[in-house]
Amino acid sequence: MALNKQVWIKQILEGFYPDDSFLKKTVNYSEFVENNRLHIASAGIDPNVLINNTTYPIPTVGREDNDNEIILDKFETENTLVRRPDTIEYSYDKLESVIRQHRSTLRKSVAMKAAHAYAPETDTEDTPVITTSGATAGGRKRLSLADILCLKERFDDAQIPLEERYIVLHPKHVSDLLLEDIKLFKEITNLKAGEPFNFAGFGFFSFSQMPLYRLVDGRYKKVPFASLKESSDTFSSIAFYSKEVMRADGEIYMYATVDDPKERATIVGFDKRFVALPIRGKGVGAIVSTPE
């Protein structure tokens, strides 16, 4: 009996971005994806604003937009052996037990890639990278409330809009803040009416697979994705303004070998196309854990 792939794919996509996912707060460009490629026009310079102008005619400046083609990354799951596939599609519990593994693996992988993409390469005026300054413990300086306020001021200085700012905390940074003020941060990873806890103008999420930074010539720089970790590399939390980061979902495809005679089973696996990037290279930041 052939598998109904649409049933399986529908189950993979169901709840792929849960309420506690920071990716739900990003701009969704999926509608612009064609053939797993995304075309984005980069906008030209913003127009000047004239105040109490007395000179006419007002200057006219042309704007040239450049088209950028982005090929979506491919995420592939390892295959799973499915026993008695002809019965699984008629039992939601059995179907979900197989789908759950592939959904959670894909979900974690795309979030890891997105978190790394949103993290700034290094500290600039538009992409602040600050370091922790709290009490020393476990060979590192803890994240403090003062560090959150410092990042807020850096976002303010960069003229990032006050609304829809978010921080994605490494779990160790969550612990740091809980130790500093348990009452204030006891619900930091919970949602209220679908919205994350808010402090200093930031909504908070938590994710365990956060980007690493490396000290190079006196400055912290982001370690390339999937690079081998060096002993001196340190973890981070990231921050972003929701209108300056994007995600785009492309095709999801199911592979299946039905009734394999050697395995006496059906073998299934999934591909998913996805990309996440800063839109203009601003409105993103990071807090890097520093050694004692």
Side-chain angles (χ1 to χ4, degrees):
M1 179 179 179
L3 293 177
N4 185 344
K5 292 186 178 181
Q6 293 304 315
V7 172
W8 291 70
I9 291 174
K10 179 180 178 181
Q11 290 298 106
I12 285 281
L13 294 175
E14 185 175 319
F16 193 82
Y17 296 113
D19 287 343
D20 61 353
S21 171
F22 65 90
L23 287 171
K24 289 198 73 172
K25 299 300 182 182
T26 62
V27 181
N28 187 359
Y29 278 2
S30 299
E31 64 179 301
F32 304 116
V33 173
E34 294 184 4
N35 299 318
N36 294 314
R37 285 171 165 77
L38 180 66
H39 289 268
I40 303 178
S42 59
I45 60 173
D46 295 333
N48 293 324
V49 175
L50 307 179
I51 301 175
N52 298 326
N53 178 62
T54 59
T55 302
Y56 297 94
I58 292 177
T60 300
V61 179
R63 195 186 87 165
E64 296 183 2
D65 296 344
N66 296 319
D67 179 63
N68 298 314
E69 182 184 76
I70 300 169
I71 299 176
L72 274 62
D73 294 320
K74 180 191 286 187
F75 298 81
E76 301 174 282
T77 63
E78 292 185 341
N79 297 324
T80 297
L81 287 173
V82 182
R83 305 295 181 185
R84 301 292 298 277
D86 54 327
T87 62
I88 285 181
E89 286 188 345
Y90 298 99
S91 170
Y92 178 83
D93 290 339
K94 291 182 179 179
L95 171 62
E96 178 61 20
S97 69
V98 177
I99 291 296
R100 186 183 303 115
Q101 293 176 309
H102 289 267
R103 184 197 297 120
S104 62
T105 299
L106 288 169
R107 182 187 290 165
K108 177 181 178 181
S109 297
V110 302
M112 286 175 58
K113 195 66 165 58
H116 186 272
Y118 297 160
E121 292 296 328
T122 191
D123 182 47
T124 71
E125 182 178 338
D126 290 325
T127 62
V129 175
I130 68 170
T131 55
T132 55
S133 63
T136 299
R140 66 180 180 88
K141 293 182 179 179
R142 293 188 181 277
L143 176 68
S144 69
L145 298 178
D147 298 329
I148 302 294
L149 294 175
C150 177
L151 185 63
K152 172 193 177 300
E153 291 180 358
R154 291 290 304 275
F155 267 50
D156 293 343
D157 292 343
Q159 299 184 16
I160 304 303
L162 299 177
E163 302 296 327
E164 300 187 68
R165 296 178 180 181
Y166 297 96
I167 293 179
V168 186
L169 291 170
H170 189 285
K172 289 185 178 180
H173 284 168
V174 174
S175 299
D176 293 344
L177 295 177
L178 286 169
L179 286 171
E180 185 159 339
D181 193 325
I182 293 178
K183 182 178 180 180
L184 181 61
F185 282 96
K186 65 180 180 179
E187 296 180 337
I188 199 167
T189 58
N190 293 336
L191 300 181
K192 294 181 179 180
E195 289 299 315
F197 186 90
N198 188 284
F199 172 74
F202 290 101
F204 286 84
F205 293 92
S206 180
F207 183 60
S208 60
Q209 304 297 315
M210 300 300 288
L212 297 174
Y213 279 80
R214 184 176 299 163
L215 193 60
V216 179
D217 297 329
R219 301 184 69 188
Y220 278 101
K221 295 186 178 181
K222 183 170 64 173
V223 177
F225 187 75
S227 295
L228 292 177
K229 184 179 185 298
E230 296 185 0
S231 59
S232 60
D233 292 347
T234 183
F235 65 88
S236 68
S237 295
I238 63 168
F240 61 86
Y241 169 53
S242 67
K243 297 297 190 282
E244 288 289 354
V245 290
M246 55 74 66
R247 74 177 193 272
D249 293 289
E251 178 188 38
I252 183 165
Y253 188 82
M254 176 183 177
Y255 296 90
T257 299
V258 180
D259 292 340
D260 184 280
K262 295 180 181 179
E263 296 291 348
R264 295 294 195 269
T266 286
I267 304 170
V268 298
F270 294 86
D271 286 354
K272 176 175 173 54
R273 303 300 290 264
F274 171 88
V275 73
L277 293 167
I279 296 174
R280 296 191 300 170
K282 62 185 301 184
V284 295
I287 305 175
V288 177
S289 270
T290 48
E292 58 184 352

